[in-house]
């Protein structure tokens, strides 16, 4: 991913972060995914008074892409304002594995522009994917 794409994704993820609904954890998360046509799709975490119904930023981001007719993504960036960059949770790793290739890059970044990259396969080795249903 070029630096320009990363900067655009980071900005978009920060915008989503600003809209996060996280009154219970006070832990806002934004995410931005890039399609193969260079379209940016965003999502934030949405919590609920029934805590277990919370949906993470990454899953809302990818679901929003699906709503917009996108089913394949080149990369996804996770944005938090924390010194320890935020890795995707286990449920999000599974959903990321559904829509991004094993060698696609997942990045975490923060307000300082710090960044860590993982491949999808690194985050979830031997993932159960649509190929397993063939
Ligand atoms: N959260 C995300 O949005 N993404 C992750 O990968 C980690 C956790 C959210 C869920 C919840 O709203 C808050 O962070 C604290 O767990």
């Amino acid at each position: 991913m070029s630096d320009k794409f990363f900067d655009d994704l980071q900005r978009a993820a920060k915008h989503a972060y600003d809209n996060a609904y996280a009154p219970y954890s006070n832990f806002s998360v934004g995410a931005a995914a890039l399609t193969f046509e260079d379209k940016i799709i965003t999502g934030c975490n949405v919590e609920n008074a029934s805590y277990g119904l919370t949906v993470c930023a990454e899953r809302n981001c990818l679901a929003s892409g699906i709503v917009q007719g996108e089913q394949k993504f080149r990369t996804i960036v996770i944005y938090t304002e924390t010194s320890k960059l935020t890795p995707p949770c286990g449920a999000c790793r599974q959903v990321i594995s559904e829509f991004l290739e094993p060698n696609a890059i997942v990045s975490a970044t923060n307000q300082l522009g710090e960044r860590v990259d993982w491949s999808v396969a690194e985050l979830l080795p031997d993932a159960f994917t649509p190929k397993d249903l063939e």
Side-chain angles (χ1 to χ4, degrees):
M1 183 188 5
S2 73
D3 282 352
K4 161 157 181 6
F5 275 134
F6 181 77
D7 290 349
D8 290 348
L9 286 166
Q10 188 188 34
R11 199 171 306 112
K14 152 79 174 146
H15 194 74
Y17 167 96
D18 288 335
N19 290 332
Y21 179 72
Y24 307 108
S25 71
N26 285 314
F27 191 83
S28 294
V29 185
L34 185 66
T35 71
F36 285 90
E37 297 77 37
D38 299 341
K39 186 171 163 188
I40 292 178
I41 313 275
T42 62
C44 60
N45 54 333
V46 179
E47 298 187 346
N48 193 275
S50 177
Y51 297 168
L53 298 185
T54 291
V55 183
C56 294
E58 299 92 315
R59 277 178 287 149
N60 278 331
C61 174
L62 296 173
S64 174
I66 298 298
V67 171
Q68 296 175 54
E70 306 292 344
Q71 298 195 347
K72 290 181 191 304
F73 305 91
R74 279 157 66 168
T75 187
I76 184 166
V77 171
I78 303 159
Y79 178 92
T80 48
E81 300 202 339
T82 54
S83 52
K84 183 190 177 300
L85 300 174
T86 300
C89 80
C92 289
R93 291 176 194 214
Q94 177 65 30
V95 174
I96 288 169
S97 297
E98 180 87 13
F99 299 116
L100 281 79
E101 290 298 319
N103 64 354
I105 295 298
V106 177
S107 304
T109 188
N110 63 9
Q111 75 282 9
L112 304 175
E114 294 170 327
R115 170 178 171 184
V116 59
D117 291 346
W118 305 272
S119 70
V120 170
E122 236 181 317
L123 290 172
L124 191 61
D126 300 322
F128 178 76
T129 70
K131 290 191 179 72
D132 291 295
L133 294 173
E134 283 168 9

